[in-house]
Amino acid sequence: LNSLATALPATTSVFPHLERLLLEIDSSDFNDSQRQARLAAFNSGLRQELALVQLPPSHTITLTARKGQLPITVASSSDEPVKVLLQVTSDKLKIPGADTAGTATYTMELHKGDNPLVLSVAARTAGAFPLHLTVLSPDVNLTIATSTITIQSTALSGVGVVLAVGAALFLVVWWIRHAIRSRRATKGPRPTAE
């Protein structure tokens, strides 16, 4: 509850309502079933607040060049501004501001509707790999939403290009040598002079 409070404005009515339910759970004025009902109401209220912030569902984004722009949209249904941290993690992408584990964290203030963020990234390798998205409370103790996007990189790295060109040259040289040997074999042996 304290972590949720760090995401909401000081004037919110959400926090006092949930706090009251939480405090009533320990009250000696209620029996066990009434306490359970208040705990269920608290959990339901907390889940409803967290559900107001949503990440895009799992889908695939294709990068056709080594570097590109990744659009990420965090949607909010809350009537109040919500302060969050967006954590982006990938070990196959170079992300601006990422630490050694490949995680970058961005501070966002979400307003009702779509809140876009465009990341400039560079693929370290070709292939398909996950990009993990996590929305956290500002104190990082509460996970609000998570999603995983698949990044499909079709661009070849510098090493990949060198290997592909080398393999092509090897095949061309092999084919030429094979063709020359085949012609010599079909002509038969040369006659010897006496």
Side-chain angles (χ1 to χ4, degrees):
L1 185 58
N2 288 335
S3 295
L4 178 63
T6 65
L8 298 172
T11 57
T12 184
S13 61
V14 173
F15 181 80
H17 171 69
L18 291 175
E19 185 181 39
R20 186 172 52 255
L21 285 172
L22 193 58
L23 292 173
E24 288 175 352
I25 292 169
D26 282 339
S27 174
S28 59
D29 294 340
F30 301 112
N31 61 34
D32 286 344
S33 63
Q34 291 171 320
R35 287 190 192 105
Q36 286 297 327
R38 277 162 176 72
L39 181 59
F42 170 80
N43 287 332
S44 174
L46 184 60
R47 280 194 302 273
Q48 284 176 1
E49 286 305 311
L50 298 181
L52 295 177
V53 175
Q54 294 184 341
L55 285 166
S58 296
H59 63 285
T60 300
I61 296 175
T62 301
L63 285 178
T64 55
R66 194 167 168 272
K67 294 182 179 180
Q69 306 282 321
L70 290 184
I72 297 171
T73 301
V74 184
S76 174
S77 303
S78 176
D79 293 326
E80 302 173 315
V82 182
K83 293 180 183 175
V84 297
L85 299 177
L86 175 64
Q87 207 171 65
V88 182
T89 305
S90 176
D91 58 351
K92 303 291 185 186
L93 284 177
K94 290 182 184 175
I95 305 169
D99 59 19
T100 54
T103 300
T105 303
Y106 303 94
T107 302
M108 298 181 74
E109 182 169 285
L110 307 179
H111 297 279
K112 192 167 190 173
D114 290 344
N115 298 270
L117 175 70
V118 179
L119 296 178
S120 297
V121 298
R124 292 189 168 123
T125 182
F129 41 86
L131 176 70
H132 302 289
L133 307 174
T134 307
V135 176
L136 301 166
S137 60
D139 67 354
V140 304
N141 291 323
L142 179 65
T143 300
I144 298 171
T146 61
S147 183
T148 300
I149 296 173
T150 301
I151 304 299
Q152 178 71 47
S153 174
T154 57
L156 288 175
S157 66
V159 174
V161 171
V162 169
L163 290 174
V165 169
L169 286 174
F170 174 80
L171 287 174
V172 168
V173 169
W174 177 85
W175 183 79
I176 290 171
R177 291 183 74 193
H178 179 71
I180 291 171
R181 286 182 186 153
S182 295
R183 281 189 192 164
R184 286 183 185 162
T186 57
K187 288 184 181 178
R190 291 184 178 176
T192 57
E194 295 185 19

